[in-house]
Amino acid sequence: MDAPKDGPAEVGSKRRYSRADHRARSHESAHLEEPPAVDDSHIAADNPRVPRGAAAVLSTDAELAGLIDHLRSAGSFAYDSEFIGELTYFPKLCLIQAATTKRVALIDPLAEIDLRPFWELLCDGSVEKIVHAGQQDIEPVIRHMGRSPANVFDTQIAAGFIALPYPASLSKLVQELTGVRLGKGLTFTHWDQRPLSAVQLRYAVDDVRYLPLLRAELGQRLEARGHAAWAKAECEAQCDTSRYRFDPETQYLRVRGAGSLQPRNLAVLRELTVWRDTAARAHDVPPRSFLRDEVLIDLARSPAKSVEKLARVRGLPRPVEAAHGAHIVQTTLRALELPATALPTSRDSEPSPADRFRADALWASAQCLAYGRGIDPALLTNRQEIGEFFRLVQGGGDTSESRLMQRWRREAIGEQLAQMITGESQFTLKWAGGILQTCGTLRYL
């Protein structure tokens, strides 16, 4: 949060961010334009997987109950939501979209409506929910219900298992699999203002209208490749409640720059990250808007042992310093007094140049294996994880806790990489029909 000049009372206030300015411009445009003409003429009007017609906006409990009955009887439905996330601690839910092959509907969360029955439906494993990049749509379910949604099929994840890029936008995926060109998105608009314009309604509907058709197309290709079970497992993992809750033991590692700190400084960062989350929640602003990551890193790298020392911290909002300076110092001193056994482990273990080169070579091999299987490497792993895995296997450590040796990743790539590192196997590649392919099975040397 940039420092207001009015004093401590401004701490946590809803100031206008540059993103909010962009949202306002987008919103104004959405109310001036006419809904775009979407080229879907090649899809037959009676296509059984594309619902037609305008969507009704539901604002009463009775209307919602009728929709839920329809969704449940259909056995599968598309789900999306629109929210504003840059001004409050929890994103402000502004609109919910749902679609079956027969009907599209919009739910207005800002009306006097009880959404719990809808959240209950999302947690019902007997009904499939189709989402695209569904993390933000899953979060409110977990927050309100205390448990995760069940039987979720994420089209963005599924696409990464059928030789398509991950992550891919909905518009690009719709065009790739159906030929329909959707209009530009309205990610930044005032979804919380009423009435919604015709343009906003059209875009909201398009976010779910084609998901049932995408689900069918993706499902066929997943089965053909033998990747359906893997995609299902990854979709289930996305619903893990631990991904959506603040974990004081790991959250500080997500702060940009944490990897460069020593254990004692990491302890300061860990405690300050917990304090920031508590303060941001109390002021109802996003933690990184309340206090930027760079400021936390500065406070951890050069701990302030008195309130007077805070004046030198660049970027620390003066109202935050005035209102919370004593808490910042107390939190810092508490971390500095921790015994060595209670300090977090530094991740700043710089590999030798030779080991870095070998790890990079393994990363290249992992990418080839992934592409050869028709899986986007970003779904499987990343360069840092591969480097850590290489050092673990080379050092004879226990690999069972590595993500690469768990669930579907072990079968897809983990075993092969471990055997390559120890010299037990090799693989070959070929280019066929414009696609990279792994050839045959691993051969033991």
Side-chain angles (χ1 to χ4, degrees):
M1 182 180 71
D2 293 341
K5 304 302 182 184
D6 302 0
E10 291 293 324
V11 174
S13 63
K14 308 299 188 300
R15 57 175 294 275
R16 289 184 67 85
Y17 302 85
S18 59
R19 179 176 291 185
D21 293 334
H22 177 61
R23 186 182 294 279
R25 289 192 296 270
S26 176
H27 180 77
E28 181 179 358
S29 175
H31 279 261
L32 292 175
E33 298 175 3
E34 290 296 322
V38 176
D39 181 16
D40 58 1
S41 57
H42 68 290
I43 295 181
D46 60 349
N47 187 297
R49 301 192 186 279
V50 180
R52 299 291 167 173
V57 180
L58 312 184
S59 58
T60 69
D61 291 339
E63 291 173 331
L64 179 59
L67 173 64
I68 290 175
D69 287 343
H70 170 71
L71 300 178
R72 191 179 297 280
S73 63
S76 175
F77 69 92
Y79 160 58
D80 190 40
S81 62
E82 305 297 343
F83 52 86
I84 296 177
E86 70 266 21
L87 298 177
T88 53
Y89 183 85
F90 291 115
K92 182 181 182 180
L93 183 62
C94 302
L95 191 67
I96 296 173
Q97 304 101 292
T100 66
T101 58
K102 304 296 183 182
R103 177 185 177 187
V104 182
L106 306 177
I107 305 168
D108 186 0
L110 304 184
E112 294 295 327
I113 190 167
D114 180 11
L115 292 175
R116 187 175 181 85
F118 186 74
W119 301 140
E120 290 280 5
L121 177 63
L122 291 175
C123 294
D124 184 347
S126 68
V127 181
E128 181 185 62
K129 277 68 65 173
I130 310 165
V131 301
H132 182 85
Q135 287 191 355
Q136 291 284 359
D137 309 307
I138 290 170
E139 184 275 330
V141 185
I142 294 174
R143 172 158 42 97
H144 291 292
M145 301 302 295
R147 62 185 192 273
S148 63
N151 196 1
V152 173
F153 183 94
D154 193 314
T155 57
Q156 188 178 73
I157 289 175
F161 284 94
I162 61 165
L164 290 177
Y166 174 85
S169 69
L170 176 63
S171 61
K172 290 182 178 179
L173 197 56
V174 168
Q175 183 177 351
E176 175 72 23
L177 297 181
T178 73
V180 174
R181 291 178 177 271
L182 299 180
K184 63 181 180 179
L186 283 181
T187 301
F188 293 104
T189 187
H190 285 298
W191 290 107
D192 59 339
Q193 292 186 11
R194 298 294 185 269
L196 295 171
S197 72
V199 172
Q200 288 175 307
L201 293 173
R202 177 58 188 263
Y203 284 124
V205 167
D206 281 348
D207 278 346
V208 290
R209 187 189 296 278
Y210 297 96
L211 287 182
L213 178 58
L214 286 187
R215 168 64 177 98
E217 295 291 331
L218 289 166
Q220 291 176 4
R221 299 193 189 193
L222 286 170
E223 292 292 346
R225 285 184 171 270
H227 293 171
W230 292 355
K232 179 178 175 62
E234 190 61 15
C235 289
E236 289 175 350
Q238 183 175 245
C239 296
D240 186 344
T241 57
S242 66
R243 293 191 175 193
Y244 301 90
R245 291 173 177 163
F246 181 86
D247 183 357
E249 295 303 319
T250 61
Q251 194 72 27
Y252 70 100
L253 295 174
R254 301 180 185 180
V255 176
R256 292 182 290 271
S260 65
L261 299 177
Q262 295 301 312
R264 182 66 63 182
N265 304 94
L266 272 178
V268 175
L269 178 63
R270 180 178 61 190
E271 298 302 317
L272 287 176
T273 302
V274 174
W275 163 79
R276 179 180 70 171
D277 185 79
T278 301
R281 186 188 292 254
H283 289 290
D284 193 24
V285 293
R288 286 188 172 92
S289 297
F290 181 78
L291 197 63
R292 300 195 306 271
D293 280 2
E294 310 90 87
V295 180
L296 279 188
I297 292 296
D298 193 8
L299 288 167
R301 184 175 287 116
S302 302
K305 300 180 181 180
S306 67
V307 173
E308 291 73 24
K309 296 290 186 181
L310 292 174
R312 63 153 185 81
V313 180
R314 183 178 181 181
L316 176 63
R318 299 285 76 91
V320 173
E321 176 188 345
H324 299 278
H327 290 95
I328 293 174
V329 172
Q330 291 170 7
T331 301
T332 299
L333 293 176
R334 184 169 62 249
L336 292 174
E337 293 170 358
L338 289 173
T341 55
L343 299 180
T345 303
S346 175
R347 302 177 64 182
D348 188 21
S349 54
E350 185 69 23
S352 68
D355 279 350
R356 179 183 292 275
F357 185 87
R358 296 186 185 102
D360 286 346
L362 187 67
W363 166 235
S365 299
Q367 290 177 296
C368 288
L369 278 171
Y371 284 125
R373 287 185 174 274
I375 304 174
D376 192 297
L379 267 175
L380 273 163
T381 186
N382 55 60
R383 183 188 294 267
Q384 178 179 328
E385 187 175 57
I386 287 292
E388 294 171 354
F389 184 70
F390 167 74
R391 290 186 287 274
L392 184 62
V393 175
Q394 187 183 51
D398 180 13
T399 61
S400 62
E401 295 300 317
S402 171
R403 192 172 71 118
L404 284 168
M405 295 298 281
Q406 297 175 4
R407 306 189 73 183
W408 68 271
R409 285 180 175 81
R410 180 187 184 106
E411 182 182 355
I413 199 174
E415 287 282 6
Q416 292 94 319
L417 291 179
Q419 291 163 2
M420 283 181 57
I421 296 171
T422 56
E424 299 175 71
S425 65
Q426 65 181 11
F427 69 93
T428 58
L429 301 167
K430 70 177 180 180
W431 191 262
I435 298 176
L436 185 68
Q437 298 179 350
T438 53
C439 300
T441 57
L442 292 172
R443 296 195 299 273
Y444 292 88
L445 305 179

